[in-house]
Each structure stands twice: as structure tokens, then as C-alpha cells.
Amino acid sequence: MDQAEILLDAEERMDKAVHVFQGQLQGIRTGRATPGLVDSIRVDYYGSPTPLKQMANVSVPEPQQILIRPFDAQMVGEIAKAIQASDMGLAPNTDGRVVRLNIPPLSTERRRQLVSRVKELAEEARISIRNIRRDANKHADQSEKDKVMGEDERDDTKDQIQELTKKFEGKVNSMADAKEKDVMDE
């Protein structure tokens, strides 16, 4: 692999790690209702676990309520079961056609738990980015051994990989800080 391939691969993989982290943050509840809260829920749809957003329209008619309108009205009961089985701690209300989730305000203790979860997820994302850095550095070393690049080019590649690592860790840190502030301010 030459320098450009190594850097491009590392950057793409680090970007994916940040996107995964961003998706995980959407599933963490703040005091407000957002459709992202139910994105991770999978419903048993005729024997196969299906993401909720693929089988229902999820909207937020009020700041403290999520409205789930299934495309197949027969799935209301299954959706309610899946929500109860999830670790969200929300009780679904159904009227036969739609499922309503009322989002209660968060207690101070629950806010602290959510902030610690955000910190855990951020650390996992940073570890993932560092693992990608390690792999890219190994590729650079191997390319130097294989005479694809010289020693100076390898060192330059490693410096650029470190800059990418700092950039993406900074993104993770700023996203985590924003989410922590969001959870504590509500």
C-alpha cells in the first residue's frame, strides 16, 4: 500500500467509527422526545427482527411524546411488546392503530447514569480510532519493509495518521461534551 491508500483507508475507517458513535448517541435519551430514541428497537415482524423505522412512521407531535404509526396495523401489539422488552423504561400506550410513548422528565440520578453511558461510548469510539491508527501504522511499516516507500515517507505517513487520529478523537470529544450538556441541561 502506498501513502495515499493508507491515509485514505484510515480516514474512512475513523469516519465510520465517528458515525457509529453518533448513531449510539441518538439512542440516548434526553428530556425531549426524538425519533432517534426508538431507532435501535427491533420488532418481531413475522419471525424476523426488523428495525422499527422500517415498519412504522415515527413522529414527535409534542415535545414529550413519540407517535409510532405502523404501516401494517396488525403490528401494533408486536411494536408495543418490543418497546416494553427494550431497556428504555418506557410504557407504550396503544389504541389499536398507533403507539404513543410519553417521555417522562429525567431524574437527576438517571441523568448521571446517562452521562456515564455517554462517556463509556465515547471511550469505546476513541479506542476504535486508536486501533485504526495502530493498523495504519503497521501498514506503513510493512510498506517500508516491502520497499514501497522510504523511511522518510513512512515517518511522514505516521505523522499524518496521528493528525487524523487527533482530528477524529476531537470530533468524538466534542460530540460527547454536547450530549452530556444536553442530558444535564434538560
Side-chain angles (χ1 to χ4, degrees):
M1 293 176 81
D2 67 357
Q3 182 180 20
E5 289 174 333
I6 293 170
L7 292 172
L8 183 65
D9 180 55
E11 186 171 12
E12 285 176 353
R13 290 175 58 203
M14 287 180 187
D15 194 43
K16 282 182 188 172
V18 170
H19 283 309
V20 167
F21 176 62
Q22 189 174 25
Q24 290 172 328
L25 286 184
Q26 287 177 341
I28 292 183
R29 198 179 127 194
T30 60
R32 292 185 304 275
T34 63
L37 290 175
V38 295
D39 277 353
S40 63
I41 294 178
R42 295 197 175 278
V43 180
D44 182 35
Y45 188 64
Y46 299 112
S48 68
T50 307
L52 179 61
K53 63 184 175 183
Q54 288 182 5
M55 55 188 301
N57 185 8
V58 180
S59 61
V60 182
E62 300 171 25
Q64 300 296 313
Q65 188 180 73
I66 297 175
L67 184 68
I68 303 167
R69 191 179 309 273
F71 302 133
D72 180 356
Q74 296 174 349
M75 296 309 296
V76 169
E78 289 294 325
I79 290 172
K81 280 185 204 171
I83 292 168
Q84 286 175 331
S86 73
D87 62 350
M88 292 179 59
L90 298 176
N93 300 325
T94 62
D95 68 2
R97 291 183 318 224
V98 296
V99 177
R100 284 186 176 80
L101 293 174
N102 291 315
I103 309 296
L106 295 170
S107 67
T108 306
E109 180 62 30
R110 182 68 180 137
R111 288 177 197 275
R112 287 190 186 118
Q113 289 173 346
L114 291 173
V115 165
S116 72
R117 180 70 182 137
V118 168
K119 289 179 180 178
E120 288 172 17
L121 292 173
E123 186 57 28
E124 288 172 15
R126 286 190 292 267
I127 289 170
S128 175
I129 289 168
R130 291 179 196 134
N131 287 340
I132 294 165
R133 174 186 62 191
R134 183 196 63 223
D135 293 345
N137 283 338
K138 282 183 183 176
H139 285 299
D141 289 337
Q142 188 61 44
S143 292
E144 193 233 342
K145 284 181 188 171
D146 295 343
K147 306 285 190 234
V148 175
M149 64 173 74
E151 197 174 317
D152 292 341
E153 194 176 7
R154 180 204 62 198
D155 293 342
D156 181 49
T157 303
K158 285 186 172 188
D159 290 343
Q160 290 182 42
I161 291 167
Q162 183 59 34
E163 287 174 24
L164 282 174
T165 303
K166 286 181 184 175
K167 172 183 154 187
F168 284 102
E169 281 186 342
K171 284 184 181 181
V172 167
N173 292 338
S174 64
M175 290 165 58
D177 291 344
K179 189 66 172 187
E180 286 176 28
K181 186 177 184 301
D182 200 20
V183 168
M184 293 310 284
D185 285 352
E186 276 302 311

